[in-house]
Amino acid sequence: MDGHPALRACFRAPIPEIAQAAALLDAAVTAHLRGQAAQAEAWIRQADMPAVAAWVESILGRNSPYAVIRPAPAPRLAGAPRVPARMPSAQERCQLHARDGFHCRFCGIPVIRQEVRERIRRAYPQALRWGKRNAERHAAFFALWAQYDHLLPHALGGGNELSNMVITCAACNYGRGGYTLAEAGLAHPLEQPPVRSAWDGLERFGRAPPAVGTDAVLPQ
Ligand SMILES: [Zn+2]
């Protein structure tokens, strides 16, 4: 291999707290749908774990020891026309989730679409904090933020075709930035099958009106 490090599946393996936080959010949504808002709120707060925030920051933060790009990236063409980033359409995003489910194609952690996070935030604005800075964001919703990542970066000519796009988490997307897979030392994620699990991305939140729970019933 000429001294090159072996390709890796992701920058940093997920820590157990990520699965624990996802389980808490899943339970919170189930509680919400049963009308148990106080329980849902408590579990959403519990999922806001400092360890999860630290995991994300260790990958996408400045001078990350995990997302180090080696060898040095190929020089980009100076003065090349800037192509504005093109977000995949709703239909393309739908096709991506149909193929990839609701897990990062690099590190495999569960993900939640931004639209779903917003629905939950509107119902629980205190528990689901979401500011402009990373530190002001609920750690689990930040870590599990679904991204639509171009494998060959858009600025290098990569398009929105399904073969060039994957669902990722925030850390895997922003940790790589505008670098190619080879530059980042990452294996091609479509060479491994997607994670399949019961995790539904919390998509069931807000789809149906919550049932009237026992805590909403006043004694006669
Ligand atoms: Zn990931």
Side-chain angles (χ1 to χ4, degrees):
M1 285 291 286
D2 249 8
H4 288 297
L7 295 179
R8 49 196 174 157
C10 61
F11 291 121
R12 184 186 177 191
I15 56 172
E17 285 86 349
I18 292 171
Q20 293 163 14
L24 281 165
L25 294 181
D26 194 67
V29 167
T30 297
H32 170 82
L33 295 175
R34 288 175 180 158
Q36 300 160 350
Q39 179 64 81
E41 172 122 14
W43 278 335
I44 291 170
R45 284 184 191 278
Q46 209 178 324
D48 192 358
M49 298 178 182
V52 172
W55 180 83
V56 178
E57 192 60 29
S58 76
I59 298 165
L60 56 69
R62 281 181 189 279
N63 303 317
S64 165
Y66 298 99
V68 162
I69 308 296
R70 288 201 185 93
R76 307 312 193 213
L77 289 174
R82 297 281 301 176
V83 182
R86 188 161 80 90
M87 277 294 290
S89 66
Q91 188 190 0
E92 287 167 333
R93 294 199 299 269
C94 197
Q95 290 172 333
L96 280 168
H97 282 294
R99 184 194 68 191
D100 294 351
F102 292 90
H103 289 269
C104 175
R105 285 301 297 258
F106 287 103
C107 73
I109 68 170
V111 294
I112 303 164
R113 290 190 306 127
Q114 178 173 317
E115 292 87 342
V116 172
R117 183 188 71 229
E118 276 304 301
R119 294 208 292 263
I120 300 173
R121 194 184 61 77
R122 281 196 290 273
Y124 299 95
Q126 302 301 317
L128 205 176
R129 62 199 179 95
W130 197 261
K132 284 198 161 31
R133 297 170 57 242
N134 294 350
E136 298 164 350
R137 292 169 169 173
H138 185 291
F141 280 95
F142 186 40
L144 275 51
W145 183 2
Q147 309 286 321
Y148 306 94
D149 189 14
H150 294 83
L151 293 173
L152 177 64
H154 187 263
L156 297 178
N160 279 5
E161 57 275 14
L162 273 176
S163 60
N164 191 48
M165 299 218 65
V166 285
I167 303 289
T168 74
C169 70
C172 288
N173 182 29
Y174 292 113
R176 185 161 69 93
Y179 293 100
T180 67
L181 294 173
E183 288 166 350
L186 290 166
H188 197 294
L190 296 182
E191 288 170 2
Q192 296 295 325
V195 173
R196 296 288 182 212
S197 79
W199 173 260
D200 71 347
L202 309 181
E203 294 279 324
R204 66 194 187 280
F205 187 98
R207 281 267 168 81
V212 176
T214 50
D215 60 357
V217 177
L218 297 171
Q220 298 295 315

